[in-house]
Amino acid sequence: MGAGNDTILLKVKKGELPSHLAIIMDGNGRWAARRKLLRVEGHKAGATAVDKIIQASIQIGIPVLSLYAFSTENWKRPETEVNALFELLNFYLKRKAKSLIKNGISLRVSGDISKLPLKSRKLLNETITNTSSLNKLILNLCINYGSRDELLIAVEKLIKKRIVLGDIKKISSLPEWNEIEENLYTNGLPDIDLLIRTAGEKRLSNFMLLQSAYAELYFTDIEWPDFGESELLKALIEYQRRTRKFGGLVEESKTGK
Ligand code: FPP
């Protein structure tokens, strides 16, 4: 963390921190276009920003960080860009394997990775296995992720489990929320407290719609490659200023339940 941020860091650490921070990393393409670079250069710069935010999250003490790296809709992009994104992911996972372990980072994935190139699947699964016992930070990469797909898959899993149980009354009864929740990709993770989207767009784009039910939303014009620790601290200061009510009159609990 830069020296100029130290005082702000101390202030932020004294306040309430999000149990789960999620980021829609937007603006890599625009960042590159403004510099007359190829879009892939923007994604590379985005991967460097990922590193910085992981380090900052650990230093601040944020336990869970979800990053929207590839959506179910991103397949619509030109094949060259899609391939470049997965190559970048592979390069990143290979280069970072040791430092994830050294830093106590446990990797998780939210999304249907069965559709990913074999090499990416292999590297993701290896890294998930090698880091599963670590607990300094849970890094939840959202890849081929979309909230609507996630819900459909969760309902399918839930129905299958009910059929296996074979209880006819249970098969047709309304599920409890926790039954849905435990079949989402994010099973076991806390709800999102703070959701950041970079690069000026003010929408959620099918990202963690259920997990963000009570999240504080923070939008910034800063493009993702330029989003560093001082930008994160700014977002956290704004988060700590907000009053959270979870539908009640006073702050009740971090989970909104
Ligand atoms: C959105 O910017 C960004 C993405 C679709 C990809 C995010 C990928 C990275 C940050 C780098 C790789 C990540 C890892 C974990 C190695 P955009 O391309 O939609 O930007 P634009 O809206 O300006 O065109």
Side-chain angles (χ1 to χ4, degrees):
M1 184 108 9
N5 287 327
D6 287 354
T7 335
I8 309 172
L9 172 66
L10 284 175
K11 187 173 172 245
V12 164
K13 283 179 87 145
K14 279 193 201 135
E16 184 131 23
L17 291 169
S19 312
H20 187 170
L21 166 68
I23 310 183
I24 302 176
M25 310 180 288
D26 199 9
N28 294 349
R30 277 162 280 173
W31 183 92
R34 284 194 299 105
R35 287 165 177 76
K36 302 203 172 8
L37 297 170
L38 295 172
R39 289 181 60 81
V40 64
E41 295 302 325
H43 295 314
K44 280 188 195 160
T48 307
V50 166
D51 269 349
K52 286 191 193 148
I53 293 308
I54 291 174
Q55 288 311 324
S57 299
I58 292 177
Q59 217 170 353
I60 294 165
I62 293 168
V64 183
L65 173 66
S66 286
L67 298 176
Y68 205 5
F70 193 89
S71 77
T72 44
E73 286 71 36
N74 284 152
W75 296 107
K76 293 181 207 154
R77 293 188 177 204
E79 206 181 323
T80 46
E81 181 168 346
V82 170
N83 290 342
L85 277 167
F86 286 115
E87 268 167 37
L88 184 59
L89 176 71
N90 295 349
F91 176 75
Y92 186 87
L93 289 171
K94 271 192 254 172
R95 197 166 53 99
K96 294 287 158 189
K98 283 198 186 117
S99 90
L100 289 178
I101 295 172
K102 202 176 106 214
N103 287 297
I105 300 168
S106 178
L107 182 73
R108 271 183 78 139
V109 171
S110 287
D112 178 7
I113 63 166
S114 71
K115 308 282 186 313
L116 267 49
L118 181 64
K119 183 92 194 143
S120 302
R121 261 185 287 153
K122 221 172 140 261
L123 281 165
L124 281 168
N125 285 329
E126 262 170 38
T127 317
I128 290 169
T129 308
N130 294 340
T131 62
S132 64
S133 61
L134 305 171
N135 58 11
K136 200 133 193 211
L137 172 78
I138 294 175
L139 172 63
N140 179 36
L141 283 186
C142 306
I143 307 177
N144 193 22
Y145 175 85
S147 270
R148 289 182 173 177
D149 260 32
E150 178 184 38
L151 182 59
L152 295 178
I153 293 166
V155 170
E156 188 190 29
K157 283 198 228 161
L158 183 156
I159 293 171
K160 280 185 180 158
K161 283 183 197 165
R162 284 180 168 204
I163 290 172
V164 170
L165 284 176
D167 177 343
I168 202 74
K169 262 197 271 161
K170 184 94 170 124
I171 287 171
S172 55
S173 69
L174 195 68
E176 299 280 335
W177 166 243
N178 69 321
E179 211 186 337
I180 301 268
E181 199 175 30
E182 66 199 25
N183 288 294
L184 297 175
Y185 293 124
T186 48
N187 177 29
L189 298 182
D191 278 353
I192 292 170
D193 291 313
L194 174 62
L195 173 59
I196 297 175
R197 181 170 188 148
T198 59
E201 252 46 89
K202 293 182 180 65
R203 53 177 171 260
L204 298 182
S205 302
N206 200 16
F207 181 60
M208 300 270 175
L209 301 181
L210 295 169
Q211 297 85 342
S212 297
Y214 288 95
E216 294 298 323
L217 307 181
Y218 179 88
F219 300 104
T220 171
D221 288 337
I222 303 286
E223 290 157 346
W224 176 248
D226 291 332
F227 192 91
E229 53 262 34
S230 54
E231 295 302 328
L232 177 59
L233 288 171
K234 244 192 248 173
L236 290 167
I237 286 184
E238 164 71 23
Y239 170 77
Q240 291 178 342
R241 268 197 211 117
R242 304 219 186 140
T243 307
R244 306 190 72 201
K245 298 196 291 189
F246 300 101
L249 296 178
V250 285
E251 181 160 327
E252 280 162 6
S253 79
K254 276 276 159 193
T255 59
K257 285 169 205 157

